[in-house]
Amino acid sequence: MRIWGPLAAVCLGTFMLLVDVTIVLVALPSMSESLGSSLSQLQWVADGYALAVAATLLGVGMIADLHGRRRVYVAGLVVFALASVVCALSPDMGWLITARLVQGVGAAAMFTTTLSLISTLYSGRRLGLAFGIWAAVASSASALGPILGGLLTQGLDWRWIFYVNVPVTVLALVMTFRYVPRSLPARDSARRPDLLGMVLFALGAGGFVYALTASHAHGWASAGTTVPLAAAVAAFAGFVAVQRRSTHPLLDLSLFRRPAFTAAMITIAVGEGAVYGILPYTSIWLQSVQRLSPVGAGLVVLPHALAAAAVAVLSGRFVPRPTPRVGATLGLFLAGLGTGIEGFLGPDSGWPALVGGLALSGVGMGLVFQVAASLALGSVPAERAGMASGTYSTFEQLGYAFGVAVFGTLAVSSMARSLQGRVADPDGTARVLSGGGADALLDSAPAGQRGGFQETLHAVFATGHNTLALSAGALATACAALVFWLTRRPNGSAKGGATGESAAAVPATR
């Protein structure tokens, strides 16, 4: 255990924080029924966690470099566990959303330190093996998340998807203190962390997502949307100004002058946003319209997760590894094609209509996970590999957060248009329907009209889901062409880039 004990401690935390990205998806309808939530609140349950991870990842990584990685990893475990308990005990959606945000901060502290801990604890062949095991754990988390969420929600209660984190955290803490040695702070530990940059980045990202989620409730012209949107623009402008003047920036903006690096960020952000941004609404359709159990909904999504994990982990061993350019382009194209195939539901369609598209998009995302990190790290000098890795992970989580927010707004507007002339309040009905309230809408309808109204709701939700899937598919395929163009010439600066081993160490988080 002296050899593999540290890896087991790190992998426990990694598995737990990545499972919590997807474990909530099949529990959203149960949360809505239990706490009486709106669509925007459900969006924040799924979105707030990823947003908090993305908004704090770069800053927490700097703190870890300055004050010790094991210390920050342990702090992340503790914060994650305490926030999980608050999530489980939440009496209303406000408490749940706030706790999910705090949980995301703890996850960021764990996420940003795991790779660096492994790289300092292992070397040579053991380092390659350790990274391979860690990548397999990270990839399998996405496959098990919906299944574990379904089993816990259906067998016990949705609150147990958070309670289960506590014993895993305790075990991870015990193993960390026993097997992971203390890490020394960086030589320049007297340097202060870029607190202003951290705050501005978090305000900018949070403001944009808040504005997107508020737009379908208040309208784009309302103060509830325009004020946070303006604040987000101002925060991001301030962040750029601060980073350009900083001697030790959180994010070196000059990296984006490298076309291959920009292409890698587009690949992972668009892939995450397009493919996984619509999954919450797919889960709601499966449970509130198709009336599948949480376990059943998780099993429908399982082919996607298994395909992504299999391609990401196994293809490099058994088939020739594609070049980063070809892999990123092909992966994003297949992900978009598979997502677009999911956009042909009819009022009478059942869950089998989704399986083919889900599996194909899983193959595409497996390729994206395999090569996008290599494209990012191979396009920068070796001394910038750490920052490139952190930026990659940040864009990955931001892509998911923005995708959930954007497609939630699109779902409401599409369903509201379909309900025009059919109900008295199409906007309100669309918000309830897209939030998993199909049964509540049917219960409020006159008994003699429920049969016809049910068919209407099925048709409207199918139309809304089709709009999301086709829009996401078109976005991903268009960006695949952009990535192909951006990487048309080799990046001369890649000569001193990161090694393939370090590139492969960046995880697939779905």
Side-chain angles (χ1 to χ4, degrees):
M1 287 297 287
R2 289 182 179 179
I3 297 176
W4 300 115
L7 182 62
V10 170
C11 285
L12 273 175
T14 300
F15 181 82
M16 185 170 54
L17 76 91
L18 295 180
V19 160
D20 264 58
V21 179
T22 58
I23 198 171
V24 301
L25 296 181
V26 296
L28 291 176
S30 297
M31 293 177 185
S32 177
E33 183 179 351
S34 173
L35 301 179
S37 61
S38 63
L39 173 63
S40 61
Q41 290 174 321
L42 287 179
Q43 285 178 274
W44 274 105
V45 172
D47 224 5
Y49 179 81
L51 179 62
V53 173
T56 57
L57 195 64
L58 292 175
V60 175
M62 177 179 283
I63 292 172
D65 288 339
L66 296 179
H67 299 290
R69 297 180 180 93
R70 193 188 82 159
R71 183 181 299 174
V72 172
Y73 181 69
V74 167
L77 283 168
V78 173
V79 170
F80 186 89
L82 293 176
S84 296
V85 173
V86 177
C87 285
L89 297 174
S90 296
D92 55 46
M93 291 301 293
W95 275 95
L96 180 57
I97 292 168
T98 302
R100 281 285 282 175
L101 290 170
V102 176
Q103 191 186 36
V105 175
M110 297 152 62
F111 197 22
T112 195
T113 52
T114 52
L115 288 176
S116 55
L117 283 172
I118 291 175
S119 65
T120 56
L121 293 169
Y122 299 95
S123 61
R125 295 181 63 183
R126 283 180 177 172
L127 177 62
L129 180 59
F131 275 143
I133 293 173
W134 185 80
V137 169
S139 299
S140 64
S142 64
L144 292 177
I147 300 299
L148 290 174
L151 289 171
L152 291 170
T153 301
Q154 187 173 332
L156 297 169
D157 183 76
W158 65 264
R159 298 177 188 273
W160 279 91
I161 67 175
F162 301 112
Y163 280 132
V164 74
N165 290 332
V166 177
V168 180
T169 302
V170 171
L171 180 59
L173 281 170
V174 170
M175 296 187 71
T176 299
F177 284 121
R178 183 170 183 179
Y179 296 113
V180 179
R182 291 183 180 180
S183 52
L184 296 176
R187 292 180 180 178
D188 57 350
S189 59
R191 174 166 58 92
R192 294 182 179 179
D194 184 6
L195 294 177
L196 180 59
M198 297 180 202
V199 171
L200 289 173
F201 187 81
L203 288 175
F208 267 116
V209 173
Y210 181 85
L212 288 168
T213 55
S215 63
H216 61 72
H218 305 297
W220 282 104
S222 69
T225 301
T226 57
V227 170
L229 190 60
V233 172
F236 270 134
F239 175 77
V240 171
V242 169
Q243 298 309 294
R244 293 181 67 177
R245 293 198 307 266
S246 177
T247 306
H248 303 285
L250 277 177
L251 176 59
D252 184 354
L253 299 176
S254 66
L255 294 178
F256 289 93
R257 296 174 187 166
R258 302 166 182 266
F261 183 82
T262 300
M265 298 304 109
I266 291 172
T267 300
I268 192 61
V270 172
E272 287 281 329
V275 175
Y276 299 112
I278 70 169
L279 271 186
Y281 315 106
T282 302
S283 178
I284 291 172
W285 179 78
L286 289 169
Q287 294 184 63
S288 68
V289 175
Q290 294 297 302
R291 298 185 179 278
L292 292 184
S293 66
V295 173
L299 289 172
V300 172
V301 181
L302 185 60
H304 170 91
L306 290 177
V311 171
V313 175
L314 301 177
S315 64
R317 295 176 179 268
F318 298 105
V319 299
R321 183 185 296 271
T323 65
R325 180 197 189 198
V326 172
T329 303
L330 179 61
L332 201 52
F333 174 77
L334 291 177
L337 182 62
T339 303
I341 290 174
E342 298 171 40
F344 294 93
L345 301 178
D348 300 323
S349 295
W351 61 264
L354 295 175
V355 174
L358 285 168
L360 182 58
S361 66
V363 172
M365 288 307 296
L367 280 172
V368 167
F369 291 144
Q370 184 194 70
V371 301
S374 299
L375 184 62
L377 298 182
S379 65
V380 302
E383 65 269 16
R384 293 313 228 180
M387 181 174 287
S389 175
T391 306
Y392 173 92
S393 299
T394 298
F395 270 71
E396 185 177 18
Q397 298 299 321
L398 278 180
Y400 175 72
F402 276 86
V404 171
V406 168
F407 289 120
T409 300
L410 183 59
V412 172
S413 61
S414 175
M415 292 181 192
R417 284 194 301 270
S418 298
L419 288 165
Q420 290 288 344
R422 299 184 180 187
V423 295
D425 181 14
D427 291 332
T429 303
R431 286 194 292 270
V432 174
L433 178 61
S434 58
D439 286 341
L441 291 172
L442 286 174
D443 291 341
S444 65
Q449 300 178 14
R450 288 179 184 173
F453 190 46
Q454 183 178 36
E455 293 180 4
T456 297
L457 295 181
H458 284 198
V460 168
F461 206 121
T463 300
H465 187 275
N466 292 345
T467 301
L468 301 188
L470 292 172
S471 300
L475 173 65
T477 52
C479 286
L482 176 60
V483 167
F484 187 77
W485 180 78
L486 285 171
T487 55
R488 66 194 183 281
R489 287 193 297 268
N491 192 329
S493 61
K495 184 180 290 186
T499 65
E501 185 176 82
S502 63
V506 181
T509 63
R510 296 277 173 267

